[in-house]
Amino acid sequence: MKSTAKAQSTTSVPRAPHEEAGARFTKYLVTMGIRIACFILMVAITPYGWYTWVFGIGAMVLPYVAVVLANVGQDTHISRAESPFIAIEAPLPPVEPPSAAPSVIRIAEAPPAPTEPRQA
């Protein structure tokens, strides 16, 4: 069992699932808003040129990007490795040598009891 001398820092605790879901939903909505802007700019800006293709490719690629960005959760957080030696607060108690006459427990199994036939 792990015991620590100090309480866990609140900055190392991951965000609550509902807060994380809200942040992912916001990322998705922003990316899809940019996609809608790409559609509008692709049609509205005239004369058509190379930038029309850029807006068209953006409108096609952004749904994939929106889903990938929305599904990235706390995986991007790099946590520090904790040393197991820090968790040890005090040295282990000294080990007592075994006593001169160790107690031995012997278990013997009894044979199964005979069963009586059933009478109908």
Side-chain angles (χ1 to χ4, degrees):
M1 182 181 341
K2 180 181 175 184
S3 65
T4 58
K6 58 183 179 178
Q8 185 175 11
S9 171
T10 55
T11 57
S12 66
V13 176
R15 289 195 303 184
H18 69 279
E19 290 177 3
E20 186 178 350
R24 291 186 303 168
F25 186 69
T26 303
K27 288 180 193 176
Y28 181 79
L29 285 180
V30 168
T31 310
M32 294 309 283
I34 294 171
R35 178 184 186 220
I36 292 171
C38 283
F39 269 125
I40 292 171
L41 291 172
M42 182 178 69
V43 175
I45 294 181
T46 54
Y48 299 122
W50 62 269
Y51 43 82
T52 306
W53 289 101
V54 172
F55 292 136
I57 291 171
M60 288 188 307
V61 172
L62 279 175
Y64 173 76
V65 172
V67 171
V68 169
L69 287 178
N71 286 332
V72 173
Q74 290 289 333
D75 298 339
T76 59
H77 176 68
I78 300 171
S79 61
R80 290 185 328 172
E82 293 182 17
S83 173
F85 298 109
I86 294 173
I88 300 175
E89 295 176 27
L92 295 174
V95 178
E96 296 179 16
S99 61
S103 60
V104 177
I105 299 174
R106 295 185 185 195
I107 300 174
E109 293 186 19
T115 57
E116 296 180 21
R118 287 189 181 185
Q119 306 238 346

PDB file of all heavy atoms in Angstrom, residues 104-118:
ATOM      1  N   VAL A 104       5.383 -26.351  14.137  1.00  0.00           N
ATOM      2  CA  VAL A 104       4.995 -27.019  12.907  1.00  0.00           C
ATOM      3  C   VAL A 104       3.529 -27.401  13.025  1.00  0.00           C
ATOM      4  O   VAL A 104       3.094 -27.973  14.013  1.00  0.00           O
ATOM      5  CB  VAL A 104       5.861 -28.280  12.669  1.00  0.00           C
ATOM      6  CG1 VAL A 104       5.405 -29.006  11.423  1.00  0.00           C
ATOM      7  CG2 VAL A 104       7.313 -27.885  12.561  1.00  0.00           C
ATOM      8  N   ILE A 105       2.775 -27.088  12.029  1.00  0.00           N
ATOM      9  CA  ILE A 105       1.366 -27.454  12.005  1.00  0.00           C
ATOM     10  C   ILE A 105       1.224 -28.581  11.007  1.00  0.00           C
ATOM     11  O   ILE A 105       1.602 -28.461   9.848  1.00  0.00           O
ATOM     12  CB  ILE A 105       0.487 -26.259  11.593  1.00  0.00           C
ATOM     13  CG1 ILE A 105       0.658 -25.122  12.589  1.00  0.00           C
ATOM     14  CG2 ILE A 105      -0.955 -26.686  11.461  1.00  0.00           C
ATOM     15  CD1 ILE A 105      -0.055 -23.858  12.184  1.00  0.00           C
ATOM     16  N   ARG A 106       0.631 -29.675  11.468  1.00  0.00           N
ATOM     17  CA  ARG A 106       0.409 -30.821  10.594  1.00  0.00           C
ATOM     18  C   ARG A 106      -1.082 -31.023  10.440  1.00  0.00           C
ATOM     19  O   ARG A 106      -1.832 -31.018  11.405  1.00  0.00           O
ATOM     20  CB  ARG A 106       1.047 -32.080  11.173  1.00  0.00           C
ATOM     21  CG  ARG A 106       2.538 -31.950  11.235  1.00  0.00           C
ATOM     22  CD  ARG A 106       3.172 -33.202  11.682  1.00  0.00           C
ATOM     23  NE  ARG A 106       4.611 -32.942  11.837  1.00  0.00           N
ATOM     24  CZ  ARG A 106       5.500 -33.858  11.936  1.00  0.00           C
ATOM     25  NH1 ARG A 106       5.141 -35.123  11.919  1.00  0.00           N
ATOM     26  NH2 ARG A 106       6.761 -33.546  12.056  1.00  0.00           N
ATOM     27  N   ILE A 107      -1.473 -31.227   9.203  1.00  0.00           N
ATOM     28  CA  ILE A 107      -2.885 -31.444   8.911  1.00  0.00           C
ATOM     29  C   ILE A 107      -3.018 -32.811   8.287  1.00  0.00           C
ATOM     30  O   ILE A 107      -2.347 -33.141   7.312  1.00  0.00           O
ATOM     31  CB  ILE A 107      -3.414 -30.372   7.936  1.00  0.00           C
ATOM     32  CG1 ILE A 107      -3.251 -28.983   8.563  1.00  0.00           C
ATOM     33  CG2 ILE A 107      -4.850 -30.640   7.563  1.00  0.00           C
ATOM     34  CD1 ILE A 107      -3.605 -27.862   7.639  1.00  0.00           C
ATOM     35  N   ALA A 108      -3.907 -33.611   8.869  1.00  0.00           N
ATOM     36  CA  ALA A 108      -4.170 -34.944   8.326  1.00  0.00           C
ATOM     37  C   ALA A 108      -5.615 -34.973   7.870  1.00  0.00           C
ATOM     38  O   ALA A 108      -6.517 -34.516   8.568  1.00  0.00           O
ATOM     39  CB  ALA A 108      -3.917 -36.005   9.389  1.00  0.00           C
ATOM     40  N   GLU A 109      -5.820 -35.517   6.692  1.00  0.00           N
ATOM     41  CA  GLU A 109      -7.183 -35.611   6.181  1.00  0.00           C
ATOM     42  C   GLU A 109      -7.813 -36.902   6.661  1.00  0.00           C
ATOM     43  O   GLU A 109      -7.196 -37.957   6.661  1.00  0.00           O
ATOM     44  CB  GLU A 109      -7.176 -35.574   4.656  1.00  0.00           C
ATOM     45  CG  GLU A 109      -6.745 -34.258   4.097  1.00  0.00           C
ATOM     46  CD  GLU A 109      -6.901 -34.216   2.589  1.00  0.00           C
ATOM     47  OE1 GLU A 109      -7.650 -35.042   2.036  1.00  0.00           O
ATOM     48  OE2 GLU A 109      -6.268 -33.362   1.972  1.00  0.00           O
ATOM     49  N   ALA A 110      -9.067 -36.799   7.050  1.00  0.00           N
ATOM     50  CA  ALA A 110      -9.807 -37.988   7.472  1.00  0.00           C
ATOM     51  C   ALA A 110     -10.418 -38.627   6.237  1.00  0.00           C
ATOM     52  O   ALA A 110     -10.768 -37.953   5.271  1.00  0.00           O
ATOM     53  CB  ALA A 110     -10.898 -37.595   8.456  1.00  0.00           C
ATOM     54  N   PRO A 111     -10.561 -39.943   6.239  1.00  0.00           N
ATOM     55  CA  PRO A 111     -11.193 -40.581   5.084  1.00  0.00           C
ATOM     56  C   PRO A 111     -12.653 -40.144   4.992  1.00  0.00           C
ATOM     57  O   PRO A 111     -13.284 -39.815   5.991  1.00  0.00           O
ATOM     58  CB  PRO A 111     -11.063 -42.083   5.358  1.00  0.00           C
ATOM     59  CG  PRO A 111     -10.839 -42.170   6.833  1.00  0.00           C
ATOM     60  CD  PRO A 111     -10.190 -40.896   7.258  1.00  0.00           C
ATOM     61  N   PRO A 112     -13.215 -40.132   3.794  1.00  0.00           N
ATOM     62  CA  PRO A 112     -14.612 -39.697   3.649  1.00  0.00           C
ATOM     63  C   PRO A 112     -15.555 -40.656   4.395  1.00  0.00           C
ATOM     64  O   PRO A 112     -15.312 -41.848   4.484  1.00  0.00           O
ATOM     65  CB  PRO A 112     -14.863 -39.716   2.154  1.00  0.00           C
ATOM     66  CG  PRO A 112     -13.788 -40.564   1.576  1.00  0.00           C
ATOM     67  CD  PRO A 112     -12.631 -40.517   2.529  1.00  0.00           C
ATOM     68  N   ALA A 113     -16.614 -40.100   4.950  1.00  0.00           N
ATOM     69  CA  ALA A 113     -17.599 -40.910   5.673  1.00  0.00           C
ATOM     70  C   ALA A 113     -18.396 -41.731   4.676  1.00  0.00           C
ATOM     71  O   ALA A 113     -18.714 -41.274   3.580  1.00  0.00           O
ATOM     72  CB  ALA A 113     -18.530 -40.002   6.454  1.00  0.00           C
ATOM     73  N   PRO A 114     -18.715 -42.993   5.057  1.00  0.00           N
ATOM     74  CA  PRO A 114     -19.505 -43.811   4.121  1.00  0.00           C
ATOM     75  C   PRO A 114     -20.909 -43.257   3.996  1.00  0.00           C
ATOM     76  O   PRO A 114     -21.497 -42.757   4.949  1.00  0.00           O
ATOM     77  CB  PRO A 114     -19.510 -45.201   4.779  1.00  0.00           C
ATOM     78  CG  PRO A 114     -19.185 -44.966   6.208  1.00  0.00           C
ATOM     79  CD  PRO A 114     -18.385 -43.696   6.270  1.00  0.00           C
ATOM     80  N   THR A 115     -21.416 -43.317   2.804  1.00  0.00           N
ATOM     81  CA  THR A 115     -22.780 -42.805   2.576  1.00  0.00           C
ATOM     82  C   THR A 115     -23.752 -43.989   2.610  1.00  0.00           C
ATOM     83  O   THR A 115     -23.449 -45.089   2.174  1.00  0.00           O
ATOM     84  CB  THR A 115     -22.874 -42.115   1.204  1.00  0.00           C
ATOM     85  OG1 THR A 115     -22.488 -43.043   0.191  1.00  0.00           O
ATOM     86  CG2 THR A 115     -21.971 -40.907   1.165  1.00  0.00           C
ATOM     87  N   GLU A 116     -24.927 -43.719   3.152  1.00  0.00           N
ATOM     88  CA  GLU A 116     -25.950 -44.760   3.233  1.00  0.00           C
ATOM     89  C   GLU A 116     -26.837 -44.674   2.004  1.00  0.00           C
ATOM     90  O   GLU A 116     -27.167 -43.593   1.539  1.00  0.00           O
ATOM     91  CB  GLU A 116     -26.788 -44.551   4.474  1.00  0.00           C
ATOM     92  CG  GLU A 116     -25.978 -44.698   5.755  1.00  0.00           C
ATOM     93  CD  GLU A 116     -26.845 -44.492   6.975  1.00  0.00           C
ATOM     94  OE1 GLU A 116     -28.071 -44.634   6.857  1.00  0.00           O
ATOM     95  OE2 GLU A 116     -26.290 -44.205   8.027  1.00  0.00           O
ATOM     96  N   PRO A 117     -27.240 -45.832   1.472  1.00  0.00           N
ATOM     97  CA  PRO A 117     -28.132 -45.781   0.301  1.00  0.00           C
ATOM     98  C   PRO A 117     -29.502 -45.254   0.712  1.00  0.00           C
ATOM     99  O   PRO A 117     -29.968 -45.470   1.810  1.00  0.00           O
ATOM    100  CB  PRO A 117     -28.209 -47.237  -0.157  1.00  0.00           C
ATOM    101  CG  PRO A 117     -27.767 -48.050   1.013  1.00  0.00           C
ATOM    102  CD  PRO A 117     -26.902 -47.182   1.858  1.00  0.00           C
ATOM    103  N   ARG A 118     -30.138 -44.547  -0.209  1.00  0.00           N
ATOM    104  CA  ARG A 118     -31.467 -43.987   0.063  1.00  0.00           C
ATOM    105  C   ARG A 118     -32.528 -45.057  -0.041  1.00  0.00           C
ATOM    106  O   ARG A 118     -32.484 -45.926  -0.880  1.00  0.00           O
ATOM    107  CB  ARG A 118     -31.796 -42.893  -0.962  1.00  0.00           C
ATOM    108  CG  ARG A 118     -31.021 -41.651  -0.747  1.00  0.00           C
ATOM    109  CD  ARG A 118     -31.584 -40.607  -1.637  1.00  0.00           C
ATOM    110  NE  ARG A 118     -30.819 -39.353  -1.469  1.00  0.00           N
ATOM    111  CZ  ARG A 118     -31.147 -38.249  -2.047  1.00  0.00           C
ATOM    112  NH1 ARG A 118     -32.174 -38.214  -2.832  1.00  0.00           N
ATOM    113  NH2 ARG A 118     -30.441 -37.178  -1.861  1.00  0.00           N
TER     114      ARG A 118
END
